[in-house]
Amino acid sequence: MQEVDIPLTRLDDEARSSLGSGSELGGSELGDAALGGPELERTLGLWSGMAIVIGTMVGSAIFSAPGLVLAAVGSVGMSLALWVVGAGVSVCGCAAYMELGTMLPRSGGEKEYLDRAFPRPRALLPFVFSLASLAISSPSGLAADAVVTGTYVLYAATGRPVEHAAWAQRAIGVGVAVFCAFAHAFCVRAAIRLQTALTLAKVLVLVLIVAVGFGSGLHAGTRGFGDAFAGTSGHPRAYASALFKVFFAYSGYTALNYSIDELRSPVRTLPRAALGGLAATATLYVLTNAAYFAVLDAEAVRGAGTAVAGVFFGRALGPLFGQRVAPLLVALATLGNVLCGMFSASRVVFSAAREGYLPGGAVLGAVSRFQSPLAALALTCALTVLFIVTPPAGEAYAFLVDIGGYPQWLFYALAVAGLLVMRRTHADLPRPFRAWHVANAVTLATAAFMCVVPFVPPESPAGRIPYWAAPVAALAFMAVSCGLWYVQVVVRRGLERAHKGSPLFQ
């Protein structure tokens, strides 16, 4: 396989050279050069990078979560305020990840940062992160998006929200996951072009919602803004539940940190693409929520469940376009989110396997002749399907968001803490971008809130899944991962035996 030689800027070269080799890299002590093997091509520039960030962020949540957020906090005004808070906190987190990504420009995200910041016990935190990401956070998020795609496909087919059709939604979701994995496995460039096109389609759907909402508001007056803060909840558990949904919508600004090795001029491109994609998405999110309440009253949004965009279009545009065409556009938008998420999630598996964090690195860390991490995509797809079919019907979406969000926030906190540690222990590393102190403080405070408050009992428990199930399940898995770390890293010496993979099916 011929490697693609794309020149980097001098700053990129300096940042890469500062990483050194061997044990300093944090994965295998042998280093990349010694491990050999084919690399993924650098195919991503500024616009395709922004498309991945926007495409990963804009998915099921903005079309499905507003009703759940409103139901949790109780008022329209507080619901809108949380979407603004979510934007601000995400900018703070993005700043930290821009510093980390330009300081350590290697694919893998938190795995690389935690290994460099916390070298003892050796590779423990990167190992637990890799397992939590590939087994919980990534597939649960992809499963949630795939299920919502099924919801809107059925809405388009019937012209109304479909109740008691959980397995039909899940069947469509399974098909969506398999399609996205297949596209990225065998049609890499075409899949990237498709996700860029679907990203544009998602943005156009949000622009349409904003235009329709504000047009209707000017014509008939706003419906949902009367006495905007009446009924606001004062219970902290309500805000944790709502913020998990809001932050699920904003998750994705770190997508490029997992695939830096595929960015052209990564030190220059990463901050521009990440912050640009986040700014565009946050603006659309706030305006879209305002548009929902310009057309629908609070009860209609609350009663719409995960089909709020469908109800919005049906009310504003009538039975044909509003109940048939528009829900199909939303389904395409959430399909694009699964496509982008499958890309990023498979890169975490690929990078972790290559450096010995996972058994079977020769397979999971292999680059196929299609220039794709084929086995890593297959594993990501299989776990996504498992999350689609296992949660109880009717509660699947909320549970998937909560169980995926808990470990994510724990590792956000550890990554930012590691950034602060490395400012002292690795002060010589070049930092083309430096996160602001207040941004780091906001991210750490938010992470503490999101990790502690889920254990506070709600005012009125509802549903078959206990309120503590998601965080307890996530923590239990991470505890088991510590035992697996001992087996893979200490006993089997997986890092020393790391294999960078060979092409498959040649």
Side-chain angles (χ1 to χ4, degrees):
M1 178 170 24
Q2 182 178 4
E3 293 188 359
V4 177
D5 184 16
I6 300 176
L8 302 177
T9 64
R10 179 177 63 82
L11 190 54
D12 289 328
D13 291 332
E14 291 177 354
R16 284 183 172 277
S17 67
S18 70
L19 293 175
S21 61
S23 61
E24 286 185 340
L25 285 175
S28 167
E29 291 183 347
L30 298 177
D32 284 357
L35 288 168
E39 301 291 340
L40 295 171
E41 294 181 8
R42 293 187 179 276
T43 57
L44 303 175
L46 174 61
W47 294 109
S48 55
M50 284 186 63
I52 286 178
V53 172
I54 297 173
T56 305
M57 292 178 69
V58 180
S60 64
I62 190 59
F63 304 113
S64 303
L68 302 178
V69 173
L70 176 62
V73 299
S75 71
V76 172
M78 185 55 67
S79 174
L80 290 173
L82 289 187
W83 286 94
V84 175
V85 169
V89 171
S90 297
V91 169
C92 293
C94 186
Y97 275 77
M98 285 189 292
E99 177 174 340
L100 289 165
T102 54
M103 179 176 63
L104 300 172
R106 287 169 54 95
S107 292
E110 289 93 338
K111 177 178 66 63
E112 297 296 328
Y113 315 144
L114 294 173
D115 206 7
R116 194 65 180 260
F118 305 109
R120 296 291 181 271
R122 186 186 179 215
L124 174 61
L125 289 179
F127 185 92
V128 175
F129 164 76
S130 296
L131 261 64
S133 178
L134 73 90
I136 299 179
S137 297
S138 295
S140 66
L142 290 170
D145 289 334
V147 169
V148 171
T149 303
T151 300
Y152 278 97
V153 167
L154 291 177
Y155 197 124
T158 62
R160 58 185 176 81
V162 179
E163 299 179 356
H164 310 297
W167 283 108
Q169 295 169 2
R170 296 182 190 203
I172 296 171
V174 169
V176 167
V178 172
F179 167 78
C180 292
F182 183 91
H184 278 306
F186 300 108
C187 312
V188 178
R189 294 184 183 274
I192 290 175
R193 287 194 292 268
L194 177 60
Q195 71 186 26
T196 301
L198 290 176
T199 296
L200 178 61
K202 287 192 280 189
V203 171
L204 292 177
V205 170
L206 293 182
V207 170
L208 177 62
I209 291 175
V210 173
V212 169
F214 282 91
S216 299
L218 291 174
H219 180 264
T222 57
R223 299 176 184 273
F225 292 105
D227 203 2
F229 286 91
T232 299
S233 173
H235 198 281
R237 168 75 194 193
Y239 290 90
S241 177
L243 283 171
F244 270 121
K245 279 69 175 178
V246 171
F247 289 131
F248 177 65
Y250 282 108
S251 65
Y253 59 80
T254 64
L256 293 179
N257 291 71
Y258 305 122
S259 51
I260 288 178
D261 288 343
E262 295 170 76
L263 279 178
R264 296 192 293 267
S265 300
V267 169
R268 184 175 66 243
T269 303
L270 175 64
R272 297 177 182 178
L275 193 56
L278 174 57
T281 304
T283 301
L284 286 171
Y285 277 2
V286 174
L287 293 176
T288 297
N289 275 273
Y292 286 147
F293 291 112
V295 172
L296 303 173
D297 58 31
E299 286 304 315
V301 173
R302 192 180 290 111
T306 58
V308 62
V311 174
F312 167 86
F313 279 123
R315 179 77 60 86
L317 300 178
L320 178 59
F321 187 86
Q323 296 177 358
R324 300 285 186 173
V325 178
L328 187 59
L329 294 177
V330 175
L332 288 174
T334 55
L335 168 63
N337 192 249
V338 180
L339 196 64
C340 289
M342 191 72 68
F343 176 91
S344 298
S346 65
R347 268 58 182 177
V348 174
V349 178
F350 174 80
S351 179
R354 283 196 147 195
E355 296 189 8
Y357 292 96
L358 302 176
V363 176
L364 292 174
V367 179
S368 75
R369 65 186 178 90
F370 302 99
Q371 272 295 306
S372 67
L374 188 59
L377 280 163
L379 178 60
T380 303
C381 179
L383 290 170
T384 299
V385 170
L386 182 65
F387 272 96
I388 290 173
V389 300
T390 51
E395 302 177 56
Y397 185 83
F399 178 75
L400 290 171
V401 171
D402 291 347
I403 195 173
Y406 191 87
Q408 190 174 55
W409 275 103
L410 183 60
F411 286 108
Y412 280 164
L414 289 172
V416 175
L419 181 152
L420 299 177
V421 168
M422 285 189 286
R423 285 184 178 179
R424 293 187 297 101
T425 60
H426 295 80
D428 57 327
L429 287 177
R431 288 171 170 79
F433 183 91
R434 193 177 182 89
W436 323 289
H437 292 299
V438 65
N440 295 330
V442 167
T443 303
L444 290 172
T446 304
F449 178 84
M450 300 299 290
C451 290
V452 172
V453 175
F455 291 99
V456 177
E459 290 181 296
S460 54
R464 288 176 290 171
I465 302 177
Y467 70 91
W468 44 261
V472 167
L475 289 174
F477 180 86
M478 287 187 280
V480 171
S481 298
C482 292
L484 296 176
W485 163 83
Y486 184 79
V487 174
Q488 175 66 10
V489 176
V490 179
V491 177
R492 298 187 71 245
R493 302 183 67 81
L495 301 190
E496 290 84 348
R497 299 167 57 196
H499 189 289
K500 289 205 66 176
S502 302
L504 297 176
F505 305 110
Q506 292 202 26

